[in-house]
Amino acid sequence: MTETALPEVLIDKFDRRIDYIRLSVTDRCDFRCVYCMTEDMTFLPRAQILSLEELYRVGKAFTELGVRKIRLTGGEPMVRTDVMSLIEKLGKLPGLEELLLTTNGAQLDKYAAPLRNAGVNRINISIDSLDAERFKRISRVGKLEKVLQGIDAAIAQGFERIRLNSVIMRGYNEDEVLGLTDYALERGIDIAFIEEMPLGEASDHDRVDTTCSNAWVREEIEKKYQLVNSTSKTAGPSRYAQVVDSKSRIGFISPVTHNFCADCNRVRITVEGRLLLCLGNEHSIDLRAILRDANQTDDDLKRAIVASMDIKPERHYFYDKDHAQPVRLMNMTGG
Ligand code: SAM
Ligand code: SF4
């Protein structure tokens, strides 16, 4: 029997080209941020999560289907034992143009140099407060000092771009918009403000009370800085503005107040090997079953990925009462 040839690119049924994957390498983390996790998290047993070899096979299959950009995320990627060996292998994949990492920065003082050497182009570092006590309240356990050292270490390595990520929440840190912006600008790096998303239930607050719109965040920044909307179009929920007379850009990631779905170019792979076709919906396929079936080859894996394009939803429906809301927390989703 002849198999149909595999395509060189992934196109979904709404004609969107999927060339970006977010690969979650762990659900674990050394922090417990209030918007992301509950305080008493239980994590997945080892047997349920993809091995480093399986994660590599997934990355390779996608790049062979035209994916050019891989972002490693989690959980906290840097807590996965031996994660550097995976990153080094992914960095050598033919066709991969960008290898990116999202991290809480707590271990970057140690890992910034090896990450750069492994071919990581850009890093996003999450930081929600510049006040040590408040930082601890939001992350529940994190030490601000370690993250600040990590940011400095990343800057010293000369990554192509470094972007800070801040989730601004009313009652927690809404008075730090300008402070965080100043901090990024002083270092010539970017900063993105992310609207808190309704992924799973937050245990310390009701998200309806805390969610700050990016329109409000932008007004705060414009009290001090002049912003010019960037013309460079990025697929997805980020919109950028250039700060006048500065190297830095400000990103506004507005999944709640801005529907970005028409430009969507990405899918996510959870650490259990679930290929999640949309952040705000449950449509998915089980890649782990294929990876662990001795009768299935890497071509079978690729065929399943190609077929999944038919079930990628058109859009998310965050806060729409007529549609079920995701029960997955962000650490299970891959941020
Ligand atoms: N641990 C890494 C970190 O914190 O950067 C990577 C994983 S984390 C899930 C990725 C990003 O998702 C972080 O910038 C975090 O602030 C963001 N995030 C987590 N839960 C969120 C939520 N409910 N709404 C919006 N952003 C969230
Ligand atoms: Fe950990 Fe990142 Fe979630 Fe914070 S946002 S708990 S650092 S995975």
Side-chain angles (χ1 to χ4, degrees):
M1 193 177 73
T2 51
E3 303 272 11
T4 39
L6 285 158
E8 286 177 12
V9 292
L10 291 169
I11 312 268
D12 79 354
K13 68 176 194 289
F14 302 100
D15 229 17
R16 298 174 294 198
R17 174 162 179 200
I18 307 306
D19 61 2
Y20 176 17
I21 62 169
R22 293 191 167 207
L23 191 56
S24 178
V25 302
T26 180
D27 61 326
R28 290 166 195 258
C29 187
D30 43 355
F31 289 6
R32 295 283 183 280
C33 303
V34 289
Y35 47 75
C36 177
M37 292 193 179
T38 57
E39 196 157 9
D40 55 342
M41 291 289 291
T42 13
F43 295 105
L44 293 165
R46 195 164 190 81
Q48 279 183 35
I49 67 166
L50 297 189
S51 67
L52 295 175
E53 182 53 33
E54 288 165 339
L55 286 163
Y56 175 70
R57 281 176 65 197
V58 170
K60 181 166 177 289
F62 272 99
T63 51
E64 287 171 2
L65 291 168
V67 161
R68 298 177 282 206
K69 185 161 141 183
I70 298 180
R71 177 175 297 284
L72 302 173
T73 180
E76 172 49 41
M78 302 320 294
V79 304
R80 175 95 195 233
T81 307
D82 213 13
V83 72
M84 280 311 306
S85 66
L86 169 69
I87 300 177
E88 282 159 14
K89 277 173 77 183
L90 291 173
K92 295 192 183 90
L93 279 175
L96 187 67
E97 291 169 13
E98 289 182 288
L99 184 57
L100 319 171
L101 174 78
T102 304
T103 174
N104 64 24
Q107 295 194 63
L108 272 183
D109 54 343
K110 187 164 72 194
Y111 285 116
L115 286 166
R116 188 74 187 112
N117 293 336
V120 172
N121 309 80
R122 294 194 269 141
I123 292 201
N124 290 353
I125 308 167
S126 303
I127 180 164
D128 304 313
S129 176
L130 290 166
D131 174 273
E133 254 176 52
R134 203 184 257 189
F135 184 88
K136 186 155 187 185
R137 177 171 173 232
I138 296 174
S139 62
R140 291 201 186 96
V141 283
K143 289 200 173 64
L144 174 67
E145 198 50 38
K146 285 297 286 178
V147 176
L148 297 180
Q149 283 166 9
I151 294 171
D152 288 341
I155 293 171
Q157 286 305 316
F159 286 94
E160 285 163 30
R161 276 209 109 94
I162 297 174
R163 188 184 88 188
L164 306 180
N165 280 347
S166 302
V167 178
I168 298 296
M169 293 171 294
R170 219 167 281 292
Y172 283 97
N173 62 350
E174 79 270 36
D175 55 347
E176 289 203 56
V177 172
L178 275 178
L180 287 160
T181 305
D182 291 342
Y183 175 85
L185 264 57
E186 281 157 18
R187 285 159 185 78
I189 58 180
D190 295 342
I191 182 163
F193 293 96
I194 310 179
E195 284 176 354
E196 186 181 7
M197 280 177 277
L199 291 176
E201 212 157 290
S203 55
D204 290 13
H205 58 261
D206 185 334
R207 297 192 201 272
V208 174
D209 301 329
T210 51
T211 302
C212 276
S213 80
N214 266 338
W216 180 85
V217 170
R218 186 174 175 134
E219 273 173 31
E220 285 295 291
I221 298 171
E222 286 181 324
K223 287 181 183 162
K224 179 162 175 188
Y225 295 107
Q226 199 185 337
L227 303 183
V228 178
N229 283 342
S230 165
T231 45
S232 66
K233 194 165 150 40
T234 60
S238 325
R239 296 286 171 273
Y240 281 96
Q242 186 68 47
V243 183
V244 173
D245 297 329
S246 160
K247 270 172 46 188
S248 301
R249 296 183 310 166
I250 314 274
F252 296 99
I253 305 184
S254 321
V256 178
T257 57
H258 179 99
N259 191 288
F260 49 88
C261 303
D263 300 330
C264 185
N265 66 342
R266 65 200 59 188
V267 292
R268 292 175 161 78
I269 298 95
T270 73
V271 73
E272 289 177 285
R274 185 169 159 218
L275 168 55
L276 196 58
L277 294 146
C278 170
L279 181 62
N281 285 281
E282 296 303 328
H283 303 60
S284 68
I285 63 163
D286 182 8
L287 297 182
R288 187 180 62 193
I290 303 172
L291 289 161
R292 294 190 178 172
D293 179 346
N295 295 317
Q296 303 225 44
T297 64
D298 282 355
D299 273 0
D300 293 321
L301 180 66
K302 286 192 257 180
R303 262 186 275 281
I305 293 170
V306 173
S308 76
M309 291 296 115
D310 277 350
I311 59 162
K312 184 167 165 62
E314 188 173 13
R315 53 163 299 183
H316 72 67
Y317 293 93
F318 287 145
Y319 288 118
D320 182 334
K321 285 196 270 325
D322 295 334
H323 289 86
Q325 298 298 303
V327 288
R328 272 173 283 112
L329 286 165
M330 193 61 154
N331 77 305
M332 286 303 299
T333 304

